[in-house]
Amino acid sequence: MRIAEFARATGFPVDTLRYYEKIGLIDPPLRDSAGHRVYGDAELRWAEFLHRLKTTGMSISEMLVYADARAAGDHTAPERADMLRAHRAEVAARVAELRECLSVLDTKIATYEAMMSDAKGPDHAAPDHRDQSGARPQAAE
Amino acid sequence: MRIAEFARATGFPVDTLRYYEKIGLIDPPLRDSAGHRVYGDAELRWAEFLHRLKTTGMSISEMLVYADARAAGDHTAPERADMLRAHRAEVAARVAELRECLSVLDTKIATYEAMMSDAKGPDHAAPDHRDQSGARPQAAE
DNA sequence: CTAGGGGTTGGAGCGCACTCTAGGTCAAGC
DNA sequence: GCTTGACCTAGAGTGCGCTCCAACCCCTAG
């Protein structure tokens, strides 16, 4: 697999793949006779996992620590497991936070919808605009 | 409420509050006799809502669109409601994506744990290091 | 009356993670 | 033989979102 196909397969742009290689996040792959990078299945699996880590908000410097531990060999497995457990906890916290925000958004959207269906109601204060306290019991802002 | 207390209340650093005011995300608040900013409850509610939007990954440029619509008056309510609905959908998608990543992390952590409990098992391939396909049925990477 | 602790401004600088550019090589097809 | 297109390199540039700085002002407590 050459770099363009690898980019399609992993979801990383070509430039990003070369950048990751340069900083040591991806091992330098084999080259064909023309000097072009040739990627295999192991590289693909690793890049896909990196993509997961990135999706979950892990910074490049953290991924580098993980990648370096991985490169150092099997004896770093406990360290890597610890990192993943810590990261897992952060992601779970993030999910909880986002779910909370979702319910705030829902409340606010509902307030807008109530406001818009009372298109000519007696009190049409926008949920955002200045003070609406006392209008309705829910905390919308 | 002066800026330091407002910063504590909203979770935004003082510099960030002034920056948001400069770019038009926060309205210029009243000033006291010394020229110091004085914030009230309406400002607090708006800043808290901005904090939610930021937490959910909305970019500053999107927040500016929302803020500008809000400043333009009540007739932009439908537009703002649409923005929030679209954003809500993005956040929900993000939550789904993160939950998927969580399960990948769980699988990988489990693989590490299995590997470490078989501290001297016959096959102690690290879940990360090169090929492990065929070892166990789960897809771990 | 002076020191300290908050506040003010405009503008420069920064860290992250890419992203793009210029100039070059190589292999295949017309 | 020449063009096309995918790839290569080193290094410069970009966009975002702050974050910091210098120089200044004002109020209060000792």
Side-chain angles (χ1 to χ4, degrees):
Chain A
M1 202 189 303
R2 287 196 300 179
I3 201 167
E5 190 184 345
F6 193 63
R8 254 173 275 124
T10 60
F12 287 122
V14 166
D15 280 338
T16 299
L17 289 170
R18 282 194 283 248
Y19 166 68
Y20 282 0
E21 183 184 325
K22 182 160 61 182
I23 65 174
L25 209 45
I26 290 178
D27 291 333
L30 297 174
R31 301 290 182 120
D32 65 15
S33 59
H36 295 181
R37 291 168 179 82
V38 177
Y39 297 91
D41 286 357
E43 282 86 355
L44 182 57
R45 278 194 303 276
W46 172 237
E48 282 168 347
F49 184 61
L50 279 182
H51 205 271
R52 292 284 182 184
L53 293 181
K54 179 173 134 79
T55 295
T56 52
M58 187 180 282
S59 69
I60 282 186
S61 59
E62 281 174 292
M63 288 192 278
L64 269 178
V65 172
Y66 187 89
D68 288 349
R70 176 175 173 268
D74 289 357
H75 67 279
T76 64
E79 177 188 337
R80 282 179 274 159
D82 284 350
M83 286 188 69
L84 293 189
R85 273 188 291 264
H87 186 61
R88 198 224 114 92
E90 277 170 36
V91 176
R94 177 96 184 114
V95 167
E97 185 182 48
L98 288 182
R99 290 167 71 76
E100 219 188 287
C101 289
L102 272 183
S103 85
V104 171
L105 281 173
D106 285 340
T107 303
K108 197 160 186 95
I109 290 167
T111 309
Y112 270 112
E113 276 163 1
M115 191 184 113
M116 282 155 49
S117 72
D118 300 356
K120 279 217 136 85
D123 165 26
H124 63 306
D128 259 344
H129 212 67
R130 299 297 151 196
D131 202 333
Q132 64 158 358
S133 56
R136 284 175 198 84
Q138 324 88 312
E141 206 139 13
Chain B
M1 199 190 304
R2 287 196 299 179
I3 200 166
E5 190 184 347
F6 193 63
R8 252 172 276 123
T10 60
F12 287 122
V14 167
D15 279 337
T16 299
L17 290 170
R18 283 195 282 247
Y19 166 68
Y20 281 1
E21 184 184 326
K22 182 160 60 180
I23 64 175
L25 209 45
I26 290 178
D27 291 333
L30 297 174
R31 301 291 181 121
D32 65 16
S33 58
H36 296 181
R37 291 168 179 82
V38 177
Y39 297 91
D41 286 357
E43 282 86 355
L44 182 57
R45 279 194 304 276
W46 172 238
E48 282 168 348
F49 184 61
L50 279 183
H51 205 270
R52 292 285 182 183
L53 292 181
K54 179 173 131 81
T55 295
T56 53
M58 187 180 280
S59 70
I60 283 186
S61 57
E62 282 175 291
M63 289 192 278
L64 269 178
V65 172
Y66 187 90
D68 288 350
R70 176 175 174 267
D74 287 359
H75 66 280
T76 64
E79 177 188 337
R80 280 179 276 158
D82 284 350
M83 285 188 68
L84 293 188
R85 273 188 292 263
H87 186 60
R88 198 225 114 94
E90 277 170 36
V91 176
R94 178 98 183 111
V95 167
E97 184 182 49
L98 287 181
R99 290 168 69 78
E100 218 188 289
C101 288
L102 272 182
S103 85
V104 170
L105 281 172
D106 284 340
T107 303
K108 198 162 183 90
I109 290 167
T111 309
Y112 270 113
E113 276 163 2
M115 191 183 112
M116 281 153 51
S117 73
D118 301 355
K120 280 219 139 80
D123 167 27
H124 63 306
D128 258 344
H129 211 69
R130 300 296 150 195
D131 202 332
Q132 62 157 358
S133 58
R136 284 176 198 83
Q138 323 89 313
E141 205 140 10

